[in-house]
């Protein structure tokens, strides 16, 4: 579905054009066209391939989706596949945007995502002096927007981690903690797979041999690169903390097990001693003089109680009870 | 066994040739011959070595099999050994294909595998404008086909992992989970050993110093490279998840152990208290006034029941029962 | 808030200048101005951007804060973001200082930190022969001061680790140990995130292609680099030791569990044997000759005692008691 | 001890020479001499140093032995130290061979090993057209022979691992498994330390700047390199599997512990319930009407049996029994 | 404290000189002076700085000590800080030696260490033909001596590891094993921190761009480098083995726990069965015909014994007893 298709000149929108008129607008120097598609049909993709003369392998990738984030040069045209991550019902949904960047055009193809890029276009049109840098700046603005959405996810992961961390030490909910930690790790892997390859390829858009279409906006790509490095660092921290938290959770469970075993041992001893004593005085020997004593029973009860109290004290002192 | 041996000119099949006629067809410019062997005998290999003038070390490798995936240049000829992986009875069977690529010929030697390359040949013949790129494109098409089969395996691993993951948290089948995780890790190692060295050497077929025979198809090799990078990433995720799952499974088992210990401790306490009380009233002292009481027995039962209920409540409150 | 703004010539302070007079002082050769801001307002930042002609992206970073430590070149101007770490109530508080370095000026913008740089200025002014090296030396002096504060934190972490280590083996406080180790790891991550990116970028200030403004002070930056390498090594040691300590703590807990289980098993056996014996002689069979014996009871007690002692000895010998 | 000392010309053995005649044979162009020593005395080494003009540091290394595998260039002479691994009584015995390679001579000094190189010499003499490549080819043949012996060890490790793996899941022999895994890891370390440094230095014998004496045999060294890479990969797999197997073994032990704890808890409950009931009816209250009933005893037994059966069923259902 | 200060010419000692005469001796070509200090005072350091014209940053480092091992070039002068490790009372004491190397002089400043370098000087003077190489050779001799002392420590660590390893499997001393392993890891970290940075910088003293003063002794530095590589490999092995040993120790403890739990469960069952049976016949029902039987008691004892023996056999068969 075509969302928008506008020609820009000197950083300002000139006019909207229909798909069939795209190619003739491409020839005019000093202009570029910015086309946005959403979940396009195979026909729309073929149309775009014809209008913009795109490489069949890139179109193939756009058609299939589920690409690893990447940047490829086909002659003057850059092709970039980027993951769009959304938090839906506490699950991360992975969509994709494929972007073709050429001095004369930008084509963004968004799939499986509700994240609109209208705000990016609005922001660009508010700053014509920057948009003057051309198609490269649009590419930057799109990347920047996506990376910002990653930041929100990373913050979500971090706050979830903090919640679990406090649960580990506060109350005993070992099973749900471990489940949540596992789930958190899975989520962090999704974000990592989105951000890391991107960090790699954005690094090629500043500093060294930069594709011509991005050369004017190098410092902006360095900024994106820096943000991605921060995201990568944050995710690594989260993942490292998850590993440690799983170990720590196991330790806490084992500690609790020991505590229960101690308590069990202590009470078992106390009751067993009482039972053994009671059993002895319950034997049926004829000549058990204490059984005849007037105060035999109270004394027996006293002995049992004393032994129990002594054991109790000893275990309490040893920290078992 | 000779499977097929066809001469191509300008991307179109010209004619089938027998083995003895191969060498004379090699001299004709603008043509290349594509020969496919299956589980060849030593004699067939020697014949090929003579016809195509192959290096003895490469032929040695092809004869022995069980090579690490690799790409080697012997003069103008590329020699590549690649693993063929098939899922047979839930086990991964490792076969091998050795490919010689030269501007004038492609020789593929398949062993221990039922994976036919007839579909590759058919696909190539359907696209003569691409096959025109020559022997390098055939090499690409073969690689692409193999890598696609890896994808299916990776998906198999991923779905198996998901199954185990849900089993870990859902029902207690710790022993079989751990067995399956171990098995899954072993399988992932096989796929990893097939894909990783390949990722490394396919990286040399685009971008930098590319062997002449592959130069025209560079963008296609980049595509294979990209697919392999995705596979490598997916396998790494699977392996990472397996490690975590083993740890988590252990945690769950330990948690369960603690729960059982708690229950044991609780019931042991309740019964032990009852037994100790009953034991006391079972002692044979003469002067135990309560034994004479009319309501002694019901009261005793009441005491035992009360103590048991109190303990039960306390343990339930503490989450032990 | 403007803290200080002084013009230096030949390593000596010449005069204080107000913000509006900054730009005219910038033109005079052989001089540089050193401006220090604390938690500046948006207006102050804009003023600085105008006076020093700073790049909007750098100012954006300074405004937002929470940057990853970094060094960026914008033409002749270096922009560096550095973490300021303070230990407040046993927690590490992360502040930030953003430094712009240019042959004609140094601008330091400190936020969320009580760590004053007045001592750095004092030290610089005490050594005019070094301050003569220019703005680069001021940058070095600031870095050196920050890195020194990191050293104190690392020593704090190391001494905390030592305390926990001795607790692990000395007395059993498994739960608090694990909590403290987790907390320590979290702290070490903060210091690591401050120091590691810095190590990376300070490495670019000596040896290879060094920005002109820092060229004269290269050996000093090598010194900072060396300090950071030491910090990185120390943190890695601490983190490695934490991992091992968590494992070791778990081992100690498990060992303790085994010891308790052994004791439980031993005492349970002793009491159970006594109870079983007493139970046998408590049976109500008519023909139990030993019950009639004169010395039956003492002999029974003797048997029970003997069995208990024998078991006790055996368990003691086996190391269970 | 001198094992062999033969002069080769054009790939064919010309004559055997005694040690004193070595140096004069060195001068003749188109020839090289191949000398093999076994556990040489200090005097023999000094003699060799004089005859071949070897560097004192290399001779020092040969004298001391226990070197890390390495390759060093001393002018035209290559010096290489390589581990010889033999399986003796299920233990890996580490010997060493030091090889000096020079266009005019090969000197191999074998120590602490029964692995004879006679087969290497025989193989070389069977292929004069390859031996014509000179001393470099002899070096290759020696390396190839050693690497082949590593393969056997790796296979030994792999089959041992497989045996242990099946033991982990099949029957419970946790203690011996863990001991064998630890031993296997130790062995794998020995092989790794032999193979990894070798992989590193053999990599310098093909492709880039290759020492002149090895230049003609580059493709052969690439073959050795490839074999070593396979060995390295195999050892890494084994070591990785060992780590996982240790974890898995621990998991299995913990699972077994839980199973035993469950059984213990179940039977303890059943017996404790019976005992408590029996204890109640064993109390000595005067007014316990059921004691007088004609069918009291059978009913009591019935109650005890019913409770036991009910408990048994419940535990079986819960999977505890 | 000045230990020694000798002028060498052509590899032979010429004369001892006092500190004040150093600078005039520096000017004579073909000579160098070798000065050794021990725990110098601040004044002595300043004196040295003046005599040899040393860089203030290097002197600062020498004054403070506790440096990370490093090598720095200040013009023609190399400055190197190296750890001296001594085993004192089973603890590793870390001292330091700072070495300045210049074509005209070597200055070694030893602190916090009893390790004398007199043997190095003696060895150098015994080999004037090597000492002729100049100050670089002295530097090599010092490094070689230090690295040799590291070897002894590594052997100490290895033999300690072996001792612990045998303790893990032989007898049960889990707690002390874990303590010793932790301590061993700490020690290995100290040696590692001494050796690893050194390996890094010694690598710069041969092969590539080598400082002029060391150029003549390159092969000797390569030898040191090789020794350090061996040390690094050995330490890595030790540390890897420690990690595995900690895991294995935990496994052994857990296995032992399971064994105890099994025994406990077995004996508890046997006694509980006896007690339950005895309890049943101890009930006070009037109509319990077997109580009246002449052989009731022996039969009851027989039943109890039979049940016990049956249970015992079953548990023994299951490997629980």
């Amino acid at each position: 579905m075509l969302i928008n298709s506008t020609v820009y000149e000197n950083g300002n929108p000139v006019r909207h054009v229909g798909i069939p008129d795209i190619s003739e607008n491409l020839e005019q120097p000093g202009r570029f066209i910015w086309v946005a598609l959403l979940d396009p049909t195979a026909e729309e993709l073929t149309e775009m391939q014809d209008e913009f003369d795109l490489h069949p392998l890139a179109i193939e990738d756009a058609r299939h989706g589920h690409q690893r984030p990447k940047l490829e040069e086909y002659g003057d045209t850059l092709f970039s596949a980027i993951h769009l991550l959304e938090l839906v019902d506490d699950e991360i949904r992975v969509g994709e945007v494929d972007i073709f960047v050429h001095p004369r055009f930008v084509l963004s193809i968004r799939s499986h995502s509700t994240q609109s890029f209208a705000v990016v276009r609005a922001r660009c049109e508010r700053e014509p002096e920057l948009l003057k840098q051309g198609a490269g700046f649009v590419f930057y603005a799109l990347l920047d927007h996506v990376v910002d959405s990653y930041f929100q996810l990373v913050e979500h992961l971090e706050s979830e981690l903090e919640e679990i961390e406090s649960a580990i030490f506060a109350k005993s909910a070992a099973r749900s903690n471990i489940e949540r930690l596992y789930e958190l790790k899975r989520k962090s892997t999704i974000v990592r797979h989105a951000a890391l390859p991107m960090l790699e390829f954005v690094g090629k858009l500043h500093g060294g041999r930069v594709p011509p279409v991005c050369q004017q906006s190098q410092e902006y790509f360095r900024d994106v690169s820096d943000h991605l490095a921060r995201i990568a660092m944050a995710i690594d921290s989260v993942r490292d903390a998850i590993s440690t938290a799983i170990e720590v959770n196991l330790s806490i469970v084992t500690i609790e097990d020991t505590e229960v075993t101690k308590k069990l041992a202590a009470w078992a001893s106390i009751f067993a001693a009482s039972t053994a004593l009671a059993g002895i005085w319950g034997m049926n020997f004829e000549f058990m003089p204490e059984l005849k004593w007037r105060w035999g029973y109270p004394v027996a009860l006293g002995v049992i109680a004393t032994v129990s109290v002594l054991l109790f004290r000893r275990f309490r002192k040893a920290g078992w009870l």
Side-chain angles (χ1 to χ4, degrees), chain A:
Chain A
M1 183 172 45
L2 181 72
I3 298 285
N4 195 327
S5 164
T6 309
V7 175
Y8 293 86
E9 184 168 353
N10 263 324
N12 289 300
V14 179
R15 71 161 160 284
H16 296 269
V17 293
I19 292 184
D21 307 328
I22 285 175
S23 45
E24 63 197 60
N25 276 283
L26 286 180
E27 303 311 320
Q28 295 166 292
R31 292 184 165 193
F32 71 89
I33 185 165
W34 177 0
V35 181
L37 293 184
L38 173 61
D39 294 320
T41 60
E43 293 75 44
E44 284 173 316
L45 280 177
T46 313
E47 224 172 355
M48 287 300 149
Q49 181 174 7
D50 294 346
E51 292 290 327
F52 293 118
D53 189 25
L54 306 172
H55 194 282
L57 278 173
I59 280 294
E60 190 91 341
D61 284 346
R63 200 186 318 270
H64 288 320
H66 299 300
Q67 294 301 312
R68 182 173 157 265
K70 65 178 171 183
L71 179 76
E72 289 174 351
E73 286 188 73
Y74 293 98
D76 282 352
T77 309
L78 293 182
F79 169 67
S80 178
I82 294 167
H83 287 186
L84 296 175
L85 308 179
E86 286 173 295
L87 203 65
V88 179
D89 296 336
D90 215 48
E91 270 294 319
I92 298 179
R93 207 163 67 188
V94 183
E96 187 173 332
V97 61
D98 297 305
I99 307 173
F100 292 86
V101 188
H102 179 275
R104 292 272 163 273
F105 65 83
V106 176
L107 166 63
S108 76
I109 303 167
R110 179 156 56 93
S111 358
H112 311 294
S113 173
T114 66
Q115 246 176 315
S116 166
F117 288 123
V119 288
V120 180
R121 195 180 287 265
R123 181 192 149 195
C124 285
E125 296 184 354
R126 271 201 311 277
E127 305 184 305
E129 76 287 356
L130 292 174
L131 193 50
K132 241 190 316 196
Q133 295 177 14
F137 185 79
V138 172
F139 186 33
Y140 152 74
L142 290 167
L143 288 179
D144 191 50
H145 182 73
V146 172
V147 170
D148 270 357
S149 77
Y150 290 179
F151 265 118
Q152 290 166 26
L153 274 174
V154 169
E155 272 159 32
H156 168 78
L157 297 180
E158 281 172 338
S159 71
E160 192 143 330
L161 177 62
E162 264 174 54
E163 232 177 78
I164 304 174
E165 277 173 346
S166 63
I168 287 178
F169 295 114
K171 53 184 171 54
S172 163
R175 191 183 278 268
S176 77
N177 286 341
I178 207 90
E179 230 172 303
R180 286 171 73 191
L181 284 167
Y182 194 82
E183 179 61 21
L184 192 59
K185 178 133 192 209
R186 222 176 49 69
K187 278 187 196 164
S188 76
T189 302
I190 295 174
V191 184
R192 195 162 169 262
H193 282 186
L196 242 65
M198 210 165 151
L199 174 58
E200 194 187 311
F201 76 67
V202 175
K204 293 182 197 148
L205 299 178
H206 63 90
R209 199 200 67 80
V210 174
V213 68
C214 297
Q215 236 148 21
Q216 271 209 287
S217 315
Q218 279 194 51
E219 276 159 355
Y220 290 87
F221 287 110
R222 187 174 64 188
D223 201 58
V224 172
S225 204
D226 185 61
H227 288 181
L228 283 166
R230 254 205 291 163
I231 286 173
M233 203 165 74
I235 295 176
D236 276 0
S237 288
V238 166
R239 290 171 69 85
D240 186 46
I242 290 172
S243 295
T244 311
I246 288 176
E247 275 183 85
V248 161
N249 195 52
L250 176 59
S251 286
I252 294 284
V253 170
T254 308
I255 288 167
E256 204 192 324
D257 200 32
T258 309
E259 283 164 5
V260 174
T261 308
K262 279 177 186 168
K263 274 209 179 105
L264 167 59
W267 286 114
S269 286
I270 291 173
F271 285 127
S274 306
T275 305
L277 284 172
I280 283 168
W281 286 308
M283 294 192 296
N284 296 322
F285 289 96
E286 269 183 19
F287 305 96
M288 292 174 72
E290 68 268 43
L291 297 183
K292 311 289 193 285
W293 298 347
R294 184 63 192 94
W295 300 107
Y297 180 46
V299 166
L301 288 182
V303 167
I304 289 173
T306 308
V307 167
S308 298
V309 168
L310 285 178
L311 285 173
F312 184 85
R313 278 211 188 139
R314 194 177 153 181
F315 294 138
R316 163 124 320 168
K317 211 166 149 198
W320 288 25
L321 282 173

